[in-house]
Amino acid sequence: MKLLSETVVVVAAAFAPAAADAASLEGLSWSLSKGAAISGSTLTAEIAQAGGPQCAAKAAVDLSGMLGDGLGLVFTVRVRATGVTKPDRPWNGVKFMLSYRDADSGKTHHPGAAVPIGTYGWRVVTNRVNVLTAPVNPADGKATICLGLQGCTGRVEFDLGSLSVHTEDVGVRPVNQGYVVKYRGKADNARRRGCMLPARDTTEKDIADLAEWGATLARFQIERNWAAENGNRDLAEYAAWVDSRLDNLADVLRWAKARGMKIVVDLHSPPGGKRNVDGVRTMNMFFEEKYADAFVETWKRIATRFRGNDAVYGYDLVNEPEHRVPVPFSYWELQRRAAEAVRKIDPEATIVVESNLSDNAEAFRYLSPLAMDNVVYQVHLYKPYEYTHQGVWGNPTKKDGRPLAWPDPERGWTAEHLRRVLAPVRAFQERHKCRVYVGEFSAASWAPGAESYLRDCIALFEEYGWDWTYHAFREWGAWSVEHDAVEPGRAGRDNFVPSPDNPRKRALIEGLRLSHTTPKEMP
């Protein structure tokens, strides 16, 4: 059977709901693009030549009544592939995607599954759609399922008879929504600006140089093998390693105090390391009790050693948590437990809490405050990601034949874009009267207009009265302002060289020196 572009096929009784609460998805009408075909209950999509258009089947689905407080959706389907090549974009390749317009914001979301490429036999893949990753309130309950290929070549088959959807409780519900945070005792009320320190041992010269630049804040990483899966599982060895980092931290706090600086203590690599779930790196301590308990115990040891140290800005409990599926120990609950443990040891210590999705601004939409004072809420800003991380991890440096530059009004990349991205954080700040700290922001050294991007970020942080630390000081050359690109717009380790003076460094130092030219107290 030959199926032309946008052919409509109805597959009767194609879906068997996986749970009693599943919506009936039988008899969906599939719209087929060129190259897609349905035979029986098998959908086949094939792209023969690179650069070919998306080859997919799409069907409207009604999700009315399936979503409620704390609930998410789980879509599954069997798939097999033959010769599927690496896609041109991370979000392309084998597509198992849901699209919908959020009723509250009007924004369209496209959550998709991480489906393998290459050649393999039938396997089940899962697409979870829940509030942990994006607002889930489809307008009128309407959404579209998309199955197929995009931005690659090869052949993929989907068993439509296996396609199912059911609800699951993701374990995240709003609490403490009326809580107003107060700052008292030893809470630092000064505005502070600085940089993130390298993962290696920090030296006194590092601190002296940052102070000379104008920094009054630095973020100290307790970090190793940050992206590795299943690291830090030997808890005795992990504890010994943490203690070695705390020895360096003790020196850093002394050097910082002598120069009027404060230090954020950042547990960048928690016990248990990371694991891969549905193609996303999350943390083992969210799943295994021994690592959850070790996380709390680690903070008890840190707080005991540095109790009352007034060079500590705050305890940054966990770097960039990734909690996207139901877990026994949530990103929020573990931070609450650690915060309460620290407060029993150091009652006036400032706690720094991070949001979900790698400390993403979007996750502030459902972040609940702790019912606790002297808490600062942290966000990281790498938006638009395709601009800030161009050339990093193989990301492209051009799109539609044009460089990825800042600003770019045609793409909507302006200071107002940053304001929109950070709107959930600003709303959280105003609702809970809390302090906000931007722990990381940056753009690759070869990104055209990176100095303008940094200035726009800093201007917004200053407008909102937020503390901030640039990522990063004397780390990888692509982020270091003491390096510069040989050729803007070209990525590569051979494309940054030491640079004592460059536009990015000047933009950063201008921001750092605001600590000495603007009011020092929080507004």
Side-chain angles (χ1 to χ4, degrees), residues 103-162:
D104 297 323
S105 67
K107 182 178 179 181
T108 300
H109 297 276
H110 307 279
V115 185
I117 59 174
T119 298
Y120 49 85
W122 289 108
R123 63 177 62 181
V124 175
V125 293
T126 301
N127 183 9
R128 281 185 160 88
V129 182
N130 57 51
V131 71
L132 297 174
T133 55
V136 186
N137 184 20
D140 301 322
K142 296 178 180 178
T144 300
I145 298 174
C146 175
L147 304 173
L149 288 175
Q150 185 174 5
C152 60
T153 61
R155 174 188 174 97
V156 65
E157 295 170 89
F158 296 90
D159 175 9
L160 298 181
S162 70

Side-chain angles (χ1 to χ4, degrees), residues 231-469:
N232 301 321
R233 294 177 73 86
D234 182 333
L235 293 179
E237 188 277 334
Y238 174 81
W241 167 73
V242 168
D243 286 342
S244 72
R245 293 296 291 137
L246 299 185
D247 291 341
N248 184 226
L249 174 59
D251 290 334
V252 168
L253 289 168
R254 186 175 70 255
W255 300 328
K257 183 175 181 178
R259 293 166 175 84
M261 293 174 64
K262 297 274 189 178
I263 301 297
V264 179
V265 181
D266 157 34
L267 187 58
H268 217 77
S269 299
K274 300 199 173 187
R275 69 164 63 181
N276 189 301
V277 177
D278 294 341
V280 176
R281 282 194 179 97
T282 182
M283 294 174 175
N284 278 310
M285 67 179 184
F286 298 156
F287 296 84
E288 299 183 52
E289 187 173 14
K290 66 178 179 179
Y291 298 122
D293 291 345
F295 171 72
V296 176
E297 288 301 315
T298 298
W299 274 113
K300 289 163 90 172
R301 295 204 332 275
I302 295 171
T304 298
R305 181 159 180 179
F306 299 107
R307 177 172 44 208
N309 191 315
D310 56 10
V312 173
Y313 171 94
Y315 293 124
D316 182 357
L317 299 175
V318 58
N319 180 70
E320 296 188 346
E322 281 281 354
H323 169 188
R324 295 173 182 254
V325 300
V327 294
F329 310 102
S330 77
Y331 84 101
W332 189 88
E333 179 64 18
L334 277 185
Q335 289 187 91
R336 182 196 62 78
R337 284 177 55 189
E340 291 181 353
V342 166
R343 283 289 174 80
K344 288 180 180 178
I345 296 165
D346 192 347
E348 293 188 351
T350 294
I351 302 297
V352 181
V353 168
E354 298 200 23
S355 69
N356 196 19
L357 305 182
S358 294
D359 207 16
N360 196 308
E362 188 72 19
F364 272 76
R365 294 187 186 278
Y366 58 83
L367 177 66
S368 293
L370 300 183
M372 190 178 290
D373 293 334
N374 287 9
V375 178
V376 173
Y377 292 87
Q378 182 178 172
V379 65
H380 293 177
L381 180 62
Y382 295 107
K383 299 289 185 179
Y385 183 83
E386 59 187 320
Y387 171 74
T388 64
H389 280 62
Q390 60 182 277
V392 180
W393 300 317
N395 293 328
T397 56
K398 291 185 178 181
K399 185 177 181 181
D400 302 325
R402 294 197 295 120
L404 301 172
W406 187 274
D408 188 337
E410 186 175 333
R411 289 186 168 117
W413 293 357
T414 65
E416 287 306 306
H417 172 78
L418 299 177
R419 188 182 298 276
R420 289 192 296 272
V421 167
L422 293 171
V425 188
R426 182 62 168 167
F428 184 94
Q429 177 191 24
E430 292 179 331
R431 184 166 61 250
H432 302 293
K433 310 303 179 188
C434 64
R435 292 183 61 179
V436 172
Y437 159 55
V438 184
E440 297 184 25
F441 69 103
S442 198
S445 61
W446 46 69
E451 69 279 3
S452 296
Y453 178 81
L454 297 184
R455 285 193 174 95
D456 285 344
C457 288
I458 290 170
L460 198 54
F461 306 157
E462 294 298 318
E463 177 185 339
Y464 291 160
W466 296 353
D467 296 340
W468 52 265
T469 48

